DNA sequence: ACCTGAACACCGTTCAAGT
DNA sequence: ACCTGAACACCGTTCAAGT
């Protein structure tokens, strides 16, 4: 836990935020306690309150920093469809990379703000294929929904307790499709599911060129 | 907070679980503290430990009960496609109705177990339209992912702070599609987004009859 | 400007003791 | 079988006091 000893230089606000960020990303939100943070920084608990106000305000600062990071968007590809796909992939990766911090943003009602840059980029692409207004707005939400859930599901699958391999009573209605049961029990390539979904959605949403 | 006074009859394990459930559904997980639970029941904190072990074990009991509830599945409709849609709608409603408890199940890695009944029901329907094995498994996951995220997003939109109406710098690239920006700022009919997504996915996944 | 310890009201949990 | 209070190690936060 890197219990830093008493220090000579003053702590800075940025240093507090950095350390808090590290605690969260290395473990999860519950690892961020004011007392532990203080210990990491080699300072008394109460000193932190001088720099950031309180725990809630500190979390706000972390989310603020996350939102700034999410503002950097760069679609790649020649066709609009390729660029849309690349945007969705990029966002999916981001959600995957920083689960704990994103959970914090979500808890604090900042999910919408977090996705605004993606929405703006998508709207630009959809515009080039003739999708505007309400139609474009709905398309954007459907795609966004798909990205989020693909990550949520993949994460859940990763943490779940082996998806109780075969509970016969539950599967009774499947009519004995053993291949299916086996396929669902497999660790699975969630990337394939994601891509399938994106293709299906784009086929429907984006007018053929 | 219904601070029950000291009681004469013994507490039962079910009573503990019921009260815990109420605390969580009325507020959220953080509202479930052992001390508060004890106060509600009119008993000493330590008494609860006798009945359920500890807080973690209590949460397990709650999740167990949720999973039992989720086992009841009844698709409605004449065509397979209608039944699939009804299944997805039913599941969406369930997720919407019990957000706190479902969050608990998710935290405890029970998401996969929670969805197993849906998966079984979907696989039965897909079978009747000729989708089997790995193909069916992927379809099931795509659909499941869609249901989950549609709820997650709708909930996020509901809680978000008005989706900062218009931040010009972010929207600069949208090329001035004001209808779109307005549509995205609207509270929005997430039901429409959900339906759009389901239709798009089914068009792609389910072979035309 | 920056840090400190003491104090308060909360947690979950264990344990020995009661009936 | 069921409940109790005391005790411990944790929380976040406020405040008066130090330099």
């Amino acid at each position: 836990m890197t219990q830093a000893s008493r220090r000579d230089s003053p702590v800075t606000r940025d240093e507090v935020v950095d350390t808090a960020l590290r605690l969260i990303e290395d473990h999860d939100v519950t690892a961020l306690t004011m007392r532990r943070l203080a210990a990491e920084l080699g300072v008394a608990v109460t000193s932190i309150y001088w720099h950031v106000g309180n725990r809630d305000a500190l979390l706000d600062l972390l989310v603020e920093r996350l939102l700034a990071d999410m503002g950097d968007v760069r679609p790649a590809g020649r066709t609009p469809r390729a660029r849309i796909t690349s945007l969705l992939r990029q966002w999916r990766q981001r959600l995957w990379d920083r689960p704990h911090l994103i959970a914090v943003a979500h808890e604090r009602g900042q999910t919408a703000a977090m996705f605004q840059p993606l929405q703006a980029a998508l709207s630009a692409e959809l515009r080039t294929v003739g999708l505007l207004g309400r139609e474009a707005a709905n398309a954007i939400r459907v795609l966004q929904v798909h990205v989020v859930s693909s990550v949520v599901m993949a994460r859940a699958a990763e943490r779940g307790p082996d998806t109780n391999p075969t509970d016969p009573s539950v599967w009774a209605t499947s009519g004995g499709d053993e291949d299916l049961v086996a396929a669902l029990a497999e660790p699975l390539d969630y990337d394939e599911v994601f891509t399938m979904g994106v293709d299906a959605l784009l086929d429907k949403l984006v007018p053929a060129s």
Side-chain angles (χ1 to χ4, degrees), chain A:
Chain A
M1 283 306 109
T2 327
Q3 284 249 100
S5 47
R6 235 359 100 78
R7 44 192 298 152
D8 34 338
S9 61
V11 188
T12 67
R13 185 189 175 99
D14 273 348
E15 204 178 343
V16 174
V17 174
D18 286 342
T19 308
L21 209 52
R22 187 161 49 76
L23 281 176
I24 289 185
E25 295 200 321
D26 287 358
H27 309 81
D28 59 41
V29 213
T30 68
L32 176 64
T33 73
M34 301 304 268
R35 288 175 146 92
R36 184 157 169 191
L37 184 53
E40 292 277 327
L41 290 165
V43 75
V45 207
T46 45
S47 174
I48 293 173
Y49 285 82
W50 192 90
H51 286 285
V52 298
N54 56 28
R55 190 171 185 272
D56 239 45
L58 174 55
L59 288 174
D60 278 340
L61 290 175
L62 298 184
V63 171
E64 212 175 89
R65 192 174 280 194
L66 173 68
L67 293 192
D69 287 355
M70 300 297 263
D72 180 28
V73 182
R74 29 178 70 99
R78 281 175 302 105
T79 68
R81 174 138 178 175
R83 280 194 295 277
I84 290 173
T85 305
S86 87
L87 279 171
L88 298 178
R89 288 201 166 280
Q90 181 193 26
W91 231 257
R92 180 166 180 261
Q93 189 63 46
R94 287 179 178 188
L95 298 184
W96 185 262
D97 287 342
R98 318 181 75 179
H100 302 312
L101 194 49
I102 279 157
V104 173
H106 184 66
E107 276 162 26
R108 321 206 106 235
Q110 295 297 306
T111 311
M114 190 170 79
F115 278 105
Q116 227 191 6
L118 173 63
Q119 295 191 337
L122 281 178
S123 80
E125 297 300 337
L126 290 175
R127 190 161 206 270
T128 70
V129 295
L131 234 56
L132 295 172
R134 186 163 180 68
E135 228 183 352
N138 277 345
I140 287 171
R141 307 233 203 208
V142 172
L143 293 172
Q144 180 179 326
V145 156
H146 184 70
V147 171
V148 169
S149 50
S150 117
V151 173
V152 171
M153 288 286 90
R155 194 69 73 182
E158 182 183 65
R159 292 188 327 175
D162 305 320
T163 325
N164 7 350
T166 331
D167 178 345
S169 70
V170 177
W171 286 107
T173 52
S174 75
D177 182 351
E178 289 181 13
D179 284 353
L180 182 149
V181 175
L184 279 176
E186 255 173 48
L188 185 81
D189 182 3
Y190 260 95
D191 201 63
E192 190 179 341
V193 172
F194 176 70
T195 305
M196 265 182 72
V198 170
D199 282 344
L201 293 172
L202 289 180
D203 280 353
K204 176 85 164 202
L205 300 171
V206 176
S209 50

